[in-house]
Amino acid sequence: MAEHQHEHEHEHYHHAHPESRIEEALKKYRLDITDEEVKEAVKNIIAEKVHENDTPEVKKFLMGSVELTTLKTTDSETSVMAFTEKVNQFDEAYPTLPHVATICVYPKFAKVVSETLEVEGVEVACVSGSFPSSQSLIEVKTIETQLAIKDGATEIDIVMNVGAFLEGDYETVVDEIQQQKEACGEHDMKVILETGCLKTAQNIKTASILSMYAGADYIKTSTGKLEPAATPEAAYVMCQAIKEYYDQTGIMIGFKPAGGLNSVMDALIYYTIVKEVLGEKWLTNKWFRMGTSRLANLLLSEVIGEEVKFF
């Protein structure tokens, strides 16, 4: 039912003037948030709540939420195969620990990952749609997505058209996301907002709502290719948007901070924000993901009590 609702929700604006439909949708949400109130809320959550979650159980859970990511210019079939083999070996080496949620690569490596991966329940995610800039023709973006799925991608991460968004051209933003979602078929799609370029809490909230309205299954902070990448403040605003969207539609949308997750404390802060704003329901490795590679080793080291560089 929720899925059908989701589709229905995103078909609205075809039947009337698109701009007025989008404006109508945005009116249902509280967009007049200030950067100051967000900073204050995040400061309080970090000061009062993070320590409660600094436990071995939470760190173990977080390992299972990692999207192990390689998006290097130097990636090759050989290096990506070795990267995937690490996930296979991890399952044998640490059978009592959760495996990562996802391996995230460029579309040209979807095939090698899906053919090499032996662990049940690990998704094959591809960044698509001319990642990281999204500066390409929509036809190219959708074809890239279709090819990634044909080669074995089970999830797609795209970047919102940030230039169009900043110019106030919400119609293009929504239309491009919708077309790429159609190219994904039944596969989940994450929309990267590139929050560092959006600057204000109000922009981040608006971009979150537009992305969900247009068909995002997850919203994601950053590509990791630009600074600043993920911040607790951006995460807080995005989680608020997800909560309001859920209250309006009954549709759960996943959340993924990515870029700049450099320490176990960073992971605990994002976990705590999700827990405080969205609640326990979102604390599964389906609805909460973290895009990073550095973090996998750091979490593993903390969980087993000695420094390990497994990945």
Side-chain angles (χ1 to χ4, degrees):
M1 174 63 192
E3 273 168 358
H4 175 69
Q5 231 176 326
H6 203 164
E7 284 165 13
H8 176 68
E9 177 76 12
H10 308 310
E11 278 163 13
H12 281 332
Y13 57 84
H14 276 321
H15 307 308
H17 185 259
E19 202 54 63
S20 63
R21 280 297 185 186
I22 292 167
E23 280 165 12
E24 218 174 280
L26 287 173
K27 274 190 199 129
K28 298 177 188 165
Y29 299 92
R30 188 187 153 221
L31 298 175
D32 61 339
I33 47 170
T34 66
D35 295 353
E36 287 63 43
E37 72 175 91
V38 171
K39 274 198 185 75
E40 192 58 27
V42 168
K43 204 174 81 183
N44 291 340
I45 287 175
I46 291 173
E48 294 162 20
K49 300 290 186 181
V50 171
H51 64 93
E52 295 170 11
N53 300 316
D54 191 353
T55 66
E57 294 76 49
V58 170
K59 288 169 192 169
K60 229 181 243 191
F61 163 80
L62 288 168
M63 286 191 64
S65 282
V66 165
E67 298 210 352
L68 202 64
T69 304
T70 182
L71 298 169
K72 298 203 220 38
T73 305
T74 51
D75 287 343
S76 66
E77 291 220 344
T78 312
S79 73
V80 171
M81 189 181 286
F83 188 74
T84 308
E85 279 295 0
K86 282 282 182 205
V87 174
N88 294 339
Q89 290 156 10
F90 180 85
D91 214 39
E92 291 161 28
Y94 300 100
T96 60
L97 295 180
H99 55 65
V100 296
T102 313
I103 297 176
C104 184
V105 293
Y106 281 112
K108 65 174 294 189
F109 301 115
K111 197 165 170 34
V112 70
V113 174
S114 61
E115 287 175 354
T116 308
L117 185 62
E118 291 160 8
V119 184
E120 284 292 310
V122 176
E123 302 289 346
V124 180
C126 283
V127 294
S128 181
S130 293
F131 175 96
S133 69
S134 195
Q135 296 288 20
S136 177
L137 302 165
I138 185 62
E139 294 83 353
V140 174
K141 295 181 187 183
T142 53
I143 288 167
E144 186 177 26
T145 296
Q146 286 163 344
L147 291 171
I149 286 169
K150 182 172 86 56
D151 279 351
T154 60
E155 295 182 351
I156 294 290
D157 293 29
I158 66 160
V159 183
M160 179 185 79
N161 187 329
V162 178
F165 176 84
L166 292 172
E167 288 209 319
D169 181 3
Y170 297 164
E171 197 179 324
T172 295
V173 172
V174 166
D175 187 52
E176 286 202 0
I177 293 170
Q178 199 201 20
Q179 286 193 50
Q180 290 177 85
K181 177 59 188 166
E182 278 167 13
C184 288
E186 77 275 18
H187 296 284
D188 282 346
M189 183 180 77
K190 307 182 199 96
V191 177
I192 303 165
L193 308 182
E194 202 63 287
T195 50
C197 295
L198 301 182
K199 304 283 193 272
T200 67
Q202 194 166 5
N203 274 349
I204 293 169
K205 182 90 176 263
T206 305
S208 299
I209 300 295
L210 289 175
S211 298
M212 294 186 285
Y213 175 78
D217 299 290
Y218 291 77
I219 51 176
K220 173 176 165 181
T221 58
S222 326
T223 59
K225 301 294 184 189
L226 294 176
E227 293 298 327
T231 64
E233 289 75 17
Y236 179 82
V237 174
M238 290 167 72
C239 288
Q240 272 200 321
I242 289 170
K243 183 170 191 327
E244 286 180 34
Y245 188 79
Y246 177 70
D247 291 343
Q248 289 278 352
T249 65
I251 297 161
M252 278 179 85
I253 302 290
F255 172 63
K256 178 180 171 182
L261 276 69
N262 295 323
S263 67
V264 171
M265 183 46 73
D266 288 343
L268 290 172
I269 288 170
Y270 289 114
Y271 174 92
T272 305
I273 289 169
V274 170
K275 185 178 177 183
E276 294 303 314
V277 179
L278 289 168
E280 301 277 346
K281 196 170 172 183
W282 264 263
L283 294 175
T284 71
N285 78 345
K286 163 124 177 84
W287 300 109
F288 175 53
R289 303 277 184 77
M290 298 183 298
T292 176
S293 282
R294 198 175 293 122
L295 214 48
N297 286 325
L298 296 175
L299 285 164
L300 179 58
S301 301
E302 291 232 353
V303 167
I304 64 178
E306 59 180 10
E307 198 188 343
V308 197
K309 289 207 161 60
F310 186 88
F311 292 103

